[in-house]
Amino acid sequence: MPLDQYVLVQIGDGEVDLKPECEHRMRQVAEETDAAMVYSSYLERLPDGRLEPHPVIRYQWGSVRDDFDFGKVVLINVADALAATEDFTEADSELLDGGWYYFRLRLSMSNYFVEIPEMLYIATRTDHRSSGEKQFDYVNKASREYQRQMEEAFLDYLYEVDGLLPRERKLINLDEGDFLNEASVIIPVRNRVKTIATAIESALMQDTDFPFNVIVVDNGSTDGTSEVLAGYDDPRVNVISLTGEEGHGIGGCWNRAVLSPLCGRFAVQLDSDDAYSSPSALSTIVKLFRRAKVGMVVGSYTLTDFNFNRIPPGVIRHEEWTPENGADNALRINGFGAPRAYFTPLLREILFPDVSYGEDYAVCLRISRDYYVGRIYESIYNCRRWDDNTDAALPLEKINEHNLYKDFVRSIELSARIPRQRNPFDELEER
């Protein structure tokens, strides 16, 4: 409904009940901050009638993913909206999402959005899937046309803000550095006594014509994992033992392995509860490095249960990746795929953020900015989903924490791509 200078818009499906003060509060914040759009947290009505808080997060420069959660109701400045849609065509409004993603990217180019951390309305929950189910929406073949449209909208946005990467990238110098091993399988671990042996065995079974080793970084395990590691007498298995009091996340564990003189020329990911699905996985990765001289290689994986039985959606190939647009489109989506492998001299320059979520995404964005990324579209990795898996069914607070961090990482990446005299992180404070 129109509110003079502003319009209140419902986005998404479901019944919405505005609290009496909702319109007043949104307009008040919009006027006092000169925001082009404001949005707020809300209460969700569950099937049993209970109300559950649904907090939203702050919009950053890097909040460019198409699934950013604005809630169900937003207040938009009409003048800013008209300016952002001057060159809209009929085709833009006929996009599968009604043109919402294209519109809000255009609106954000010269304006900013304000999040109100108050529960201003009640909305009926319409999507009851777990986070583990939702996270693969963007690789679902049924939504491929939708994703293609979102990619085109995002690439158009990057073009407008001068954020597209150059088509030509650097090639790595394969002769850089001296290494005892051609490759190292890196396994950070903490309290994975049920799965660590299977992971290590899948690495040791690799059939290669080059020397490789396995570096396990034990981050203060207390459940018997350390004892399992102590039982290996294979010289290819190297354990870096931490007390857990160093405060390292997964990224810090990776850094300890990569900076070790034991690390090979190529550092290859293996999570402590996953396994390579083929004895040729490591050779396939290294051959691609050697042939294409890329900065990193990303494979494909199969989702399985604890016993390695395939579960939906099955093989995750990231077929949305293209050599032309993949590194740009990676800013829109939440991941690169697995397993990931890196050219060690390059990784030693960059290093991982010392966190336990998004550390890989940050490094992959940084490498893909300057170097080519090699892709393997056959599944060479089994990614387990089981009771102790941290991604299976996250609470909303944890999802928000993860999204906030990845949006921060994207903000850093955009800042590096599009240098400005003005710091985008200070936009709200400046006003």
Side-chain angles (χ1 to χ4, degrees):
M1 58 183 297
L3 299 171
D4 302 328
Q5 184 182 350
Y6 301 95
V7 60
L8 197 63
V9 179
Q10 178 177 341
I11 54 177
D13 301 326
E15 181 181 347
V16 175
D17 297 320
L18 303 182
K19 291 184 178 181
E21 65 275 15
C22 177
E23 296 175 11
H24 173 80
R25 182 58 170 155
M26 283 190 166
R27 177 170 181 153
Q28 181 183 56
V29 171
E31 290 176 341
E32 293 182 354
T33 63
D34 194 27
M37 182 167 71
V38 298
Y39 60 102
S40 77
S41 299
Y42 61 100
L43 294 169
E44 271 192 313
R45 181 176 286 110
L46 306 182
D48 62 5
R50 288 183 299 114
L51 297 181
E52 184 175 278
H54 187 110
V56 294
I57 62 174
R58 176 174 57 89
Y59 194 92
Q60 306 176 53
W61 192 22
S63 299
V64 292
R65 51 195 167 84
D66 57 87
D67 63 350
F68 185 89
D69 182 11
F70 289 99
K72 301 292 186 179
V73 175
V74 297
L75 185 79
I76 298 173
N77 183 301
V78 173
D80 291 333
L82 291 174
T85 57
E86 282 182 340
D87 57 352
F88 261 40
T89 66
E90 184 176 345
D92 295 327
S93 62
E94 291 178 352
L95 295 174
L96 289 174
D97 71 337
W100 166 252
Y101 183 53
Y102 188 73
F103 165 72
R104 63 100 159 169
L105 286 177
R106 304 282 295 194
L107 186 63
S108 71
M109 285 168 53
S110 55
N111 304 284
Y112 68 101
F113 308 153
V114 173
E115 167 244 346
I116 304 176
E118 302 164 11
M119 310 290 170
L120 295 183
Y121 56 92
I122 300 170
T124 301
R125 180 177 294 180
T126 56
D127 190 344
H128 300 278
R129 295 176 300 159
S130 68
S131 60
E133 294 175 277
K134 295 177 185 178
Q135 76 178 101
F136 297 109
D137 284 352
Y138 67 96
V139 293
N140 189 328
K141 290 185 178 180
S143 65
R144 186 66 192 105
E145 177 58 22
Y146 175 88
Q147 292 300 325
R148 185 191 65 77
Q149 292 183 8
M150 298 305 101
E151 178 179 333
E152 288 185 0
F154 181 59
L155 294 178
D156 182 73
Y157 164 77
L158 284 182
Y159 173 80
E160 293 292 336
V161 298
D162 197 25
L164 287 172
L165 292 171
R167 290 292 177 257
E168 296 298 321
R169 311 291 174 79
K170 302 174 185 177
L171 298 176
I172 64 171
N173 175 12
L174 291 171
D175 296 324
E176 182 179 348
D178 295 317
F179 298 91
L180 298 174
N181 290 286
E182 179 77 344
S184 289
V185 176
I186 310 298
I187 310 177
V189 63
R190 180 179 174 86
N191 293 340
R192 282 287 185 263
V193 68
K194 295 180 181 179
T195 61
I196 186 59
T198 303
I200 293 174
E201 293 304 322
S202 81
L204 295 178
M205 69 180 282
Q206 294 301 300
D207 183 12
T208 71
D209 59 3
F210 52 80
F212 73 91
N213 66 342
V214 179
I215 303 177
V216 183
V217 183
D218 183 9
N219 194 12
S221 294
T222 58
D223 69 340
T225 297
S226 303
E227 288 73 15
V228 172
L229 297 176
Y232 280 92
D233 59 3
D234 191 316
R236 293 175 296 171
V237 179
N238 309 107
V239 179
I240 298 176
S241 296
L242 307 178
T243 65
E245 297 179 358
E246 295 86 353
H248 284 315
I250 294 174
C253 291
W254 259 91
N255 292 339
R256 292 291 293 266
V258 169
L259 294 174
S260 167
L262 298 171
C263 191
R265 189 178 305 276
F266 305 109
V268 187
Q269 171 212 359
L270 178 56
D271 288 353
S272 58
D273 52 359
D274 296 337
Y276 296 126
S277 58
S278 164
S280 63
L282 201 55
S283 290
T284 301
I285 290 170
V286 171
K287 285 178 182 177
L288 183 51
F289 269 117
R290 287 288 178 182
R291 182 174 71 252
K293 298 179 174 59
V294 293
M296 59 178 286
V297 168
V298 184
S300 298
Y301 63 94
T302 302
L303 278 178
T304 76
D305 61 18
F306 184 83
N307 296 314
F308 295 113
N309 298 306
R310 178 170 165 167
I311 60 175
V315 178
I316 308 298
R317 293 190 176 91
H318 282 271
E319 293 174 329
E320 81 285 348
W321 180 278
T322 63
E324 298 79 18
N325 300 326
D328 287 316
N329 191 43
L331 273 169
R332 181 182 67 88
I333 61 179
N334 258 345
F336 276 69
R340 298 168 294 276
Y342 313 92
F343 181 52
T344 297
L346 179 58
L347 193 53
R348 284 174 173 170
E349 293 178 11
I350 297 172
L351 296 180
F352 286 86
D354 194 359
V355 295
S356 289
Y357 180 85
E359 76 290 339
D360 51 340
Y361 185 62
V363 166
C364 290
L365 283 177
R366 179 62 189 88
I367 291 176
S368 65
R369 188 196 313 163
D370 295 324
Y371 295 86
Y372 293 103
V373 176
R375 305 291 306 207
I376 298 169
Y377 292 106
E378 62 183 276
S379 178
I380 59 175
Y381 191 86
N382 287 326
C383 181
R384 281 169 160 172
R385 284 289 183 268
W386 59 297
D387 292 343
D388 285 354
N389 188 277
T390 55
D391 293 330
L394 297 175
L396 180 59
E397 291 75 16
K398 183 59 69 172
I399 294 172
N400 282 346
E401 178 186 325
H402 288 176
N403 283 332
L404 193 66
Y405 181 72
K406 279 195 172 180
D407 285 354
F408 167 76
V409 168
R410 294 184 184 95
S411 295
I412 294 295
E413 181 64 22
L414 283 170
S415 295
R417 291 189 186 193
I418 316 166
R420 295 181 171 186
Q421 294 181 350
R422 177 168 56 92
N423 186 339
F425 297 103
D426 292 336
E427 288 181 349
L428 184 57
E429 287 77 1
E430 288 176 0
R431 295 178 183 242

